[in-house]
Amino acid sequence: MSVPFIGRADEQRAFRTLISGARRGGAPAAGLITGEPGTGKSRLLRESLRGADPDRTVVVAGIEPLEPIALAALGDLERRLATVPGDGPRLASLVFGSDERRAETALPVFEATHRAVTAFGPLVLAVDDLQWVDAQSMALLHYLLRAAESSARPLVVLAASRPSAAAATFAKGIDGV
């Protein structure tokens, strides 16, 4: 049974405006909602995605026990992009390939992810529980937003988080995007 979502209309509208504006403007956009546990951030994030193209939307979440694992939070995004013709197989090789490939620096993974996002087309990435996102995933989020900005590509990153250092870092990094 689905319970209607009531309230937080301004925040929903702001997130939906970011989604539609990025698609129309061909530029990246990012938004962050923070609040204490139990205040409805996750539900707000999900409700804000209603009407977004599900084929162009990826939802990921930080998970506390996985926080020490590099790129764990964005695993679902990487798996989705690994299927993109052209750039996907290279990304899959870098992220999921042999131990020797995974030992390479992050830059080839970040650039391969950016190229796969570009080939994928307009993307909405929703990140729940940002406070548990690993540092490598956080860096990749910022890299993707900056790369989309410099190449004028539509990418929307929406995040929900408890007040945390990760939320502050994300907020500082998206200022001006």
Side-chain angles (χ1 to χ4, degrees), residues 24-55:
R24 277 193 319 270
L32 171 66
I33 185 76
T34 58
E36 296 300 324
T39 57
K41 301 174 302 296
S42 296
R43 178 76 187 265
L44 171 65
L45 189 62
R46 284 192 313 272
E47 291 294 328
S48 297
L49 296 174
R50 285 183 183 252
D53 182 352
D55 293 333

PDB file of all heavy atoms in Angstrom, residues 24-55:
ATOM      1  N   ARG A  24      16.556  20.758 -20.291  1.00  0.00           N
ATOM      2  CA  ARG A  24      16.302  21.820 -21.278  1.00  0.00           C
ATOM      3  C   ARG A  24      17.563  22.615 -21.574  1.00  0.00           C
ATOM      4  O   ARG A  24      17.822  22.972 -22.714  1.00  0.00           O
ATOM      5  CB  ARG A  24      15.226  22.771 -20.772  1.00  0.00           C
ATOM      6  CG  ARG A  24      13.823  22.307 -21.006  1.00  0.00           C
ATOM      7  CD  ARG A  24      12.810  23.431 -20.765  1.00  0.00           C
ATOM      8  NE  ARG A  24      13.123  24.238 -19.590  1.00  0.00           N
ATOM      9  CZ  ARG A  24      12.699  23.997 -18.358  1.00  0.00           C
ATOM     10  NH1 ARG A  24      11.935  22.953 -18.122  1.00  0.00           N
ATOM     11  NH2 ARG A  24      13.016  24.794 -17.355  1.00  0.00           N
ATOM     12  N   GLY A  25      18.333  22.915 -20.545  1.00  0.00           N
ATOM     13  CA  GLY A  25      19.495  23.782 -20.707  1.00  0.00           C
ATOM     14  C   GLY A  25      20.750  23.076 -21.151  1.00  0.00           C
ATOM     15  O   GLY A  25      21.740  23.723 -21.469  1.00  0.00           O
ATOM     16  N   GLY A  26      20.747  21.750 -21.154  1.00  0.00           N
ATOM     17  CA  GLY A  26      21.932  21.024 -21.565  1.00  0.00           C
ATOM     18  C   GLY A  26      23.114  21.288 -20.654  1.00  0.00           C
ATOM     19  O   GLY A  26      24.245  21.365 -21.119  1.00  0.00           O
ATOM     20  N   ALA A  27      22.862  21.429 -19.372  1.00  0.00           N
ATOM     21  CA  ALA A  27      23.930  21.716 -18.416  1.00  0.00           C
ATOM     22  C   ALA A  27      23.685  20.915 -17.144  1.00  0.00           C
ATOM     23  O   ALA A  27      22.553  20.494 -16.875  1.00  0.00           O
ATOM     24  CB  ALA A  27      23.950  23.208 -18.099  1.00  0.00           C
ATOM     25  N   PRO A  28      24.716  20.707 -16.353  1.00  0.00           N
ATOM     26  CA  PRO A  28      24.523  19.947 -15.124  1.00  0.00           C
ATOM     27  C   PRO A  28      23.833  20.760 -14.039  1.00  0.00           C
ATOM     28  O   PRO A  28      23.830  21.992 -14.067  1.00  0.00           O
ATOM     29  CB  PRO A  28      25.956  19.603 -14.697  1.00  0.00           C
ATOM     30  CG  PRO A  28      26.772  20.730 -15.235  1.00  0.00           C
ATOM     31  CD  PRO A  28      26.105  21.107 -16.535  1.00  0.00           C
ATOM     32  N   ALA A  29      23.258  20.043 -13.092  1.00  0.00           N
ATOM     33  CA  ALA A  29      22.634  20.669 -11.934  1.00  0.00           C
ATOM     34  C   ALA A  29      22.775  19.706 -10.768  1.00  0.00           C
ATOM     35  O   ALA A  29      22.857  18.493 -10.959  1.00  0.00           O
ATOM     36  CB  ALA A  29      21.164  20.959 -12.203  1.00  0.00           C
ATOM     37  N   ALA A  30      22.819  20.264  -9.566  1.00  0.00           N
ATOM     38  CA  ALA A  30      22.932  19.421  -8.377  1.00  0.00           C
ATOM     39  C   ALA A  30      22.133  20.039  -7.252  1.00  0.00           C
ATOM     40  O   ALA A  30      21.996  21.260  -7.152  1.00  0.00           O
ATOM     41  CB  ALA A  30      24.400  19.278  -7.974  1.00  0.00           C
ATOM     42  N   GLY A  31      21.599  19.165  -6.409  1.00  0.00           N
ATOM     43  CA  GLY A  31      20.832  19.618  -5.261  1.00  0.00           C
ATOM     44  C   GLY A  31      21.077  18.710  -4.076  1.00  0.00           C
ATOM     45  O   GLY A  31      21.372  17.523  -4.232  1.00  0.00           O
ATOM     46  N   LEU A  32      20.945  19.279  -2.889  1.00  0.00           N
ATOM     47  CA  LEU A  32      21.187  18.536  -1.658  1.00  0.00           C
ATOM     48  C   LEU A  32      20.119  18.892  -0.646  1.00  0.00           C
ATOM     49  O   LEU A  32      19.816  20.073  -0.436  1.00  0.00           O
ATOM     50  CB  LEU A  32      22.568  18.896  -1.097  1.00  0.00           C
ATOM     51  CG  LEU A  32      22.929  18.379   0.296  1.00  0.00           C
ATOM     52  CD1 LEU A  32      23.025  16.858   0.299  1.00  0.00           C
ATOM     53  CD2 LEU A  32      24.234  19.014   0.764  1.00  0.00           C
ATOM     54  N   ILE A  33      19.557  17.871  -0.019  1.00  0.00           N
ATOM     55  CA  ILE A  33      18.635  18.068   1.091  1.00  0.00           C
ATOM     56  C   ILE A  33      19.276  17.408   2.308  1.00  0.00           C
ATOM     57  O   ILE A  33      19.750  16.284   2.222  1.00  0.00           O
ATOM     58  CB  ILE A  33      17.222  17.496   0.802  1.00  0.00           C
ATOM     59  CG1 ILE A  33      16.252  17.816   1.922  1.00  0.00           C
ATOM     60  CG2 ILE A  33      17.254  16.013   0.552  1.00  0.00           C
ATOM     61  CD1 ILE A  33      15.776  19.219   1.943  1.00  0.00           C
ATOM     62  N   THR A  34      19.341  18.155   3.397  1.00  0.00           N
ATOM     63  CA  THR A  34      19.903  17.597   4.625  1.00  0.00           C
ATOM     64  C   THR A  34      18.869  17.676   5.737  1.00  0.00           C
ATOM     65  O   THR A  34      17.980  18.526   5.716  1.00  0.00           O
ATOM     66  CB  THR A  34      21.175  18.352   5.085  1.00  0.00           C
ATOM     67  OG1 THR A  34      20.863  19.720   5.283  1.00  0.00           O
ATOM     68  CG2 THR A  34      22.291  18.213   4.074  1.00  0.00           C
ATOM     69  N   GLY A  35      19.002  16.783   6.678  1.00  0.00           N
ATOM     70  CA  GLY A  35      18.113  16.778   7.826  1.00  0.00           C
ATOM     71  C   GLY A  35      18.461  15.635   8.759  1.00  0.00           C
ATOM     72  O   GLY A  35      19.197  14.710   8.400  1.00  0.00           O
ATOM     73  N   GLU A  36      17.920  15.707   9.917  1.00  0.00           N
ATOM     74  CA  GLU A  36      18.163  14.672  10.921  1.00  0.00           C
ATOM     75  C   GLU A  36      17.496  13.360  10.499  1.00  0.00           C
ATOM     76  O   GLU A  36      16.587  13.365   9.666  1.00  0.00           O
ATOM     77  CB  GLU A  36      17.629  15.133  12.285  1.00  0.00           C
ATOM     78  CG  GLU A  36      18.345  16.356  12.853  1.00  0.00           C
ATOM     79  CD  GLU A  36      19.839  16.135  13.064  1.00  0.00           C
ATOM     80  OE1 GLU A  36      20.240  15.004  13.435  1.00  0.00           O
ATOM     81  OE2 GLU A  36      20.615  17.079  12.847  1.00  0.00           O
ATOM     82  N   PRO A  37      17.942  12.233  11.070  1.00  0.00           N
ATOM     83  CA  PRO A  37      17.319  10.951  10.747  1.00  0.00           C
ATOM     84  C   PRO A  37      15.812  10.981  11.019  1.00  0.00           C
ATOM     85  O   PRO A  37      15.358  11.576  11.995  1.00  0.00           O
ATOM     86  CB  PRO A  37      18.013   9.959  11.702  1.00  0.00           C
ATOM     87  CG  PRO A  37      19.297  10.618  12.071  1.00  0.00           C
ATOM     88  CD  PRO A  37      19.036  12.096  12.040  1.00  0.00           C
ATOM     89  N   GLY A  38      15.067  10.366  10.118  1.00  0.00           N
ATOM     90  CA  GLY A  38      13.622  10.257  10.309  1.00  0.00           C
ATOM     91  C   GLY A  38      12.812  11.456   9.860  1.00  0.00           C
ATOM     92  O   GLY A  38      11.610  11.520  10.113  1.00  0.00           O
ATOM     93  N   THR A  39      13.435  12.398   9.170  1.00  0.00           N
ATOM     94  CA  THR A  39      12.706  13.599   8.748  1.00  0.00           C
ATOM     95  C   THR A  39      12.159  13.511   7.320  1.00  0.00           C
ATOM     96  O   THR A  39      11.655  14.498   6.791  1.00  0.00           O
ATOM     97  CB  THR A  39      13.586  14.858   8.888  1.00  0.00           C
ATOM     98  OG1 THR A  39      14.783  14.686   8.127  1.00  0.00           O
ATOM     99  CG2 THR A  39      13.924  15.128  10.349  1.00  0.00           C
ATOM    100  N   GLY A  40      12.275  12.346   6.682  1.00  0.00           N
ATOM    101  CA  GLY A  40      11.661  12.158   5.373  1.00  0.00           C
ATOM    102  C   GLY A  40      12.532  12.502   4.183  1.00  0.00           C
ATOM    103  O   GLY A  40      12.011  12.684   3.082  1.00  0.00           O
ATOM    104  N   LYS A  41      13.831  12.572   4.353  1.00  0.00           N
ATOM    105  CA  LYS A  41      14.726  12.923   3.249  1.00  0.00           C
ATOM    106  C   LYS A  41      14.688  11.890   2.124  1.00  0.00           C
ATOM    107  O   LYS A  41      14.602  12.244   0.953  1.00  0.00           O
ATOM    108  CB  LYS A  41      16.173  13.065   3.741  1.00  0.00           C
ATOM    109  CG  LYS A  41      16.385  14.105   4.804  1.00  0.00           C
ATOM    110  CD  LYS A  41      17.789  14.075   5.342  1.00  0.00           C
ATOM    111  CE  LYS A  41      18.228  12.758   5.927  1.00  0.00           C
ATOM    112  NZ  LYS A  41      17.527  12.281   7.114  1.00  0.00           N
ATOM    113  N   SER A  42      14.739  10.615   2.498  1.00  0.00           N
ATOM    114  CA  SER A  42      14.745   9.550   1.485  1.00  0.00           C
ATOM    115  C   SER A  42      13.437   9.542   0.700  1.00  0.00           C
ATOM    116  O   SER A  42      13.437   9.409  -0.525  1.00  0.00           O
ATOM    117  CB  SER A  42      14.953   8.187   2.143  1.00  0.00           C
ATOM    118  OG  SER A  42      16.221   8.134   2.754  1.00  0.00           O
ATOM    119  N   ARG A  43      12.350   9.706   1.384  1.00  0.00           N
ATOM    120  CA  ARG A  43      11.042   9.730   0.716  1.00  0.00           C
ATOM    121  C   ARG A  43      10.941  10.961  -0.188  1.00  0.00           C
ATOM    122  O   ARG A  43      10.442  10.870  -1.312  1.00  0.00           O
ATOM    123  CB  ARG A  43       9.919   9.725   1.761  1.00  0.00           C
ATOM    124  CG  ARG A  43       8.523   9.791   1.182  1.00  0.00           C
ATOM    125  CD  ARG A  43       8.064   8.461   0.598  1.00  0.00           C
ATOM    126  NE  ARG A  43       6.799   8.556  -0.089  1.00  0.00           N
ATOM    127  CZ  ARG A  43       5.620   8.295   0.449  1.00  0.00           C
ATOM    128  NH1 ARG A  43       5.528   7.903   1.702  1.00  0.00           N
ATOM    129  NH2 ARG A  43       4.523   8.416  -0.258  1.00  0.00           N
ATOM    130  N   LEU A  44      11.421  12.099   0.279  1.00  0.00           N
ATOM    131  CA  LEU A  44      11.430  13.308  -0.541  1.00  0.00           C
ATOM    132  C   LEU A  44      12.231  13.077  -1.822  1.00  0.00           C
ATOM    133  O   LEU A  44      11.787  13.450  -2.913  1.00  0.00           O
ATOM    134  CB  LEU A  44      12.012  14.489   0.244  1.00  0.00           C
ATOM    135  CG  LEU A  44      12.281  15.759  -0.564  1.00  0.00           C
ATOM    136  CD1 LEU A  44      10.979  16.356  -1.076  1.00  0.00           C
ATOM    137  CD2 LEU A  44      13.043  16.762   0.279  1.00  0.00           C
ATOM    138  N   LEU A  45      13.376  12.455  -1.692  1.00  0.00           N
ATOM    139  CA  LEU A  45      14.202  12.171  -2.859  1.00  0.00           C
ATOM    140  C   LEU A  45      13.449  11.282  -3.841  1.00  0.00           C
ATOM    141  O   LEU A  45      13.385  11.582  -5.040  1.00  0.00           O
ATOM    142  CB  LEU A  45      15.507  11.506  -2.404  1.00  0.00           C
ATOM    143  CG  LEU A  45      16.597  11.317  -3.432  1.00  0.00           C
ATOM    144  CD1 LEU A  45      17.075  12.651  -3.990  1.00  0.00           C
ATOM    145  CD2 LEU A  45      17.774  10.563  -2.814  1.00  0.00           C
ATOM    146  N   ARG A  46      12.850  10.198  -3.348  1.00  0.00           N
ATOM    147  CA  ARG A  46      12.081   9.296  -4.217  1.00  0.00           C
ATOM    148  C   ARG A  46      10.900  10.010  -4.877  1.00  0.00           C
ATOM    149  O   ARG A  46      10.648   9.845  -6.070  1.00  0.00           O
ATOM    150  CB  ARG A  46      11.577   8.093  -3.434  1.00  0.00           C
ATOM    151  CG  ARG A  46      12.624   7.061  -3.132  1.00  0.00           C
ATOM    152  CD  ARG A  46      12.035   5.752  -2.610  1.00  0.00           C
ATOM    153  NE  ARG A  46      11.033   5.920  -1.571  1.00  0.00           N
ATOM    154  CZ  ARG A  46      11.293   5.998  -0.265  1.00  0.00           C
ATOM    155  NH1 ARG A  46      12.525   5.933   0.167  1.00  0.00           N
ATOM    156  NH2 ARG A  46      10.320   6.126   0.613  1.00  0.00           N
ATOM    157  N   GLU A  47      10.162  10.790  -4.097  1.00  0.00           N
ATOM    158  CA  GLU A  47       8.997  11.505  -4.641  1.00  0.00           C
ATOM    159  C   GLU A  47       9.419  12.526  -5.696  1.00  0.00           C
ATOM    160  O   GLU A  47       8.700  12.757  -6.660  1.00  0.00           O
ATOM    161  CB  GLU A  47       8.220  12.196  -3.522  1.00  0.00           C
ATOM    162  CG  GLU A  47       7.516  11.251  -2.580  1.00  0.00           C
ATOM    163  CD  GLU A  47       6.390  10.465  -3.229  1.00  0.00           C
ATOM    164  OE1 GLU A  47       5.734  10.987  -4.149  1.00  0.00           O
ATOM    165  OE2 GLU A  47       6.165   9.314  -2.800  1.00  0.00           O
ATOM    166  N   SER A  48      10.571  13.128  -5.509  1.00  0.00           N
ATOM    167  CA  SER A  48      11.057  14.124  -6.471  1.00  0.00           C
ATOM    168  C   SER A  48      11.397  13.501  -7.814  1.00  0.00           C
ATOM    169  O   SER A  48      11.425  14.193  -8.831  1.00  0.00           O
ATOM    170  CB  SER A  48      12.289  14.836  -5.915  1.00  0.00           C
ATOM    171  OG  SER A  48      11.953  15.543  -4.745  1.00  0.00           O
ATOM    172  N   LEU A  49      11.626  12.197  -7.823  1.00  0.00           N
ATOM    173  CA  LEU A  49      11.968  11.502  -9.063  1.00  0.00           C
ATOM    174  C   LEU A  49      10.738  11.060  -9.848  1.00  0.00           C
ATOM    175  O   LEU A  49      10.863  10.611 -10.985  1.00  0.00           O
ATOM    176  CB  LEU A  49      12.838  10.276  -8.757  1.00  0.00           C
ATOM    177  CG  LEU A  49      14.192  10.589  -8.143  1.00  0.00           C
ATOM    178  CD1 LEU A  49      14.900   9.307  -7.748  1.00  0.00           C
ATOM    179  CD2 LEU A  49      15.043  11.431  -9.075  1.00  0.00           C
ATOM    180  N   ARG A  50       9.550  11.206  -9.236  1.00  0.00           N
ATOM    181  CA  ARG A  50       8.322  10.863  -9.971  1.00  0.00           C
ATOM    182  C   ARG A  50       8.247  11.742 -11.214  1.00  0.00           C
ATOM    183  O   ARG A  50       8.434  12.936 -11.149  1.00  0.00           O
ATOM    184  CB  ARG A  50       7.083  11.091  -9.125  1.00  0.00           C
ATOM    185  CG  ARG A  50       6.887  10.035  -8.084  1.00  0.00           C
ATOM    186  CD  ARG A  50       5.576  10.310  -7.351  1.00  0.00           C
ATOM    187  NE  ARG A  50       5.396   9.359  -6.305  1.00  0.00           N
ATOM    188  CZ  ARG A  50       4.503   8.378  -6.353  1.00  0.00           C
ATOM    189  NH1 ARG A  50       3.705   8.257  -7.389  1.00  0.00           N
ATOM    190  NH2 ARG A  50       4.398   7.534  -5.359  1.00  0.00           N
ATOM    191  N   GLY A  51       7.991  11.124 -12.326  1.00  0.00           N
ATOM    192  CA  GLY A  51       7.924  11.866 -13.578  1.00  0.00           C
ATOM    193  C   GLY A  51       9.251  11.895 -14.320  1.00  0.00           C
ATOM    194  O   GLY A  51       9.292  12.194 -15.503  1.00  0.00           O
ATOM    195  N   ALA A  52      10.343  11.585 -13.631  1.00  0.00           N
ATOM    196  CA  ALA A  52      11.635  11.493 -14.319  1.00  0.00           C
ATOM    197  C   ALA A  52      11.663  10.188 -15.102  1.00  0.00           C
ATOM    198  O   ALA A  52      11.085   9.181 -14.684  1.00  0.00           O
ATOM    199  CB  ALA A  52      12.780  11.542 -13.312  1.00  0.00           C
ATOM    200  N   ASP A  53      12.311  10.184 -16.230  1.00  0.00           N
ATOM    201  CA  ASP A  53      12.406   8.996 -17.078  1.00  0.00           C
ATOM    202  C   ASP A  53      13.172   7.902 -16.326  1.00  0.00           C
ATOM    203  O   ASP A  53      14.360   8.061 -16.037  1.00  0.00           O
ATOM    204  CB  ASP A  53      13.123   9.359 -18.373  1.00  0.00           C
ATOM    205  CG  ASP A  53      13.228   8.207 -19.354  1.00  0.00           C
ATOM    206  OD1 ASP A  53      12.890   7.062 -18.997  1.00  0.00           O
ATOM    207  OD2 ASP A  53      13.656   8.472 -20.496  1.00  0.00           O
ATOM    208  N   PRO A  54      12.515   6.780 -15.997  1.00  0.00           N
ATOM    209  CA  PRO A  54      13.203   5.731 -15.234  1.00  0.00           C
ATOM    210  C   PRO A  54      14.382   5.116 -15.982  1.00  0.00           C
ATOM    211  O   PRO A  54      15.308   4.602 -15.369  1.00  0.00           O
ATOM    212  CB  PRO A  54      12.106   4.690 -14.965  1.00  0.00           C
ATOM    213  CG  PRO A  54      11.019   4.997 -15.911  1.00  0.00           C
ATOM    214  CD  PRO A  54      11.133   6.438 -16.293  1.00  0.00           C
ATOM    215  N   ASP A  55      14.363   5.186 -17.313  1.00  0.00           N
ATOM    216  CA  ASP A  55      15.485   4.669 -18.095  1.00  0.00           C
ATOM    217  C   ASP A  55      16.695   5.592 -18.037  1.00  0.00           C
ATOM    218  O   ASP A  55      17.792   5.208 -18.433  1.00  0.00           O
ATOM    219  CB  ASP A  55      15.077   4.464 -19.558  1.00  0.00           C
ATOM    220  CG  ASP A  55      14.053   3.350 -19.713  1.00  0.00           C
ATOM    221  OD1 ASP A  55      14.044   2.427 -18.858  1.00  0.00           O
ATOM    222  OD2 ASP A  55      13.257   3.407 -20.662  1.00  0.00           O
TER     223      ASP A  55
END
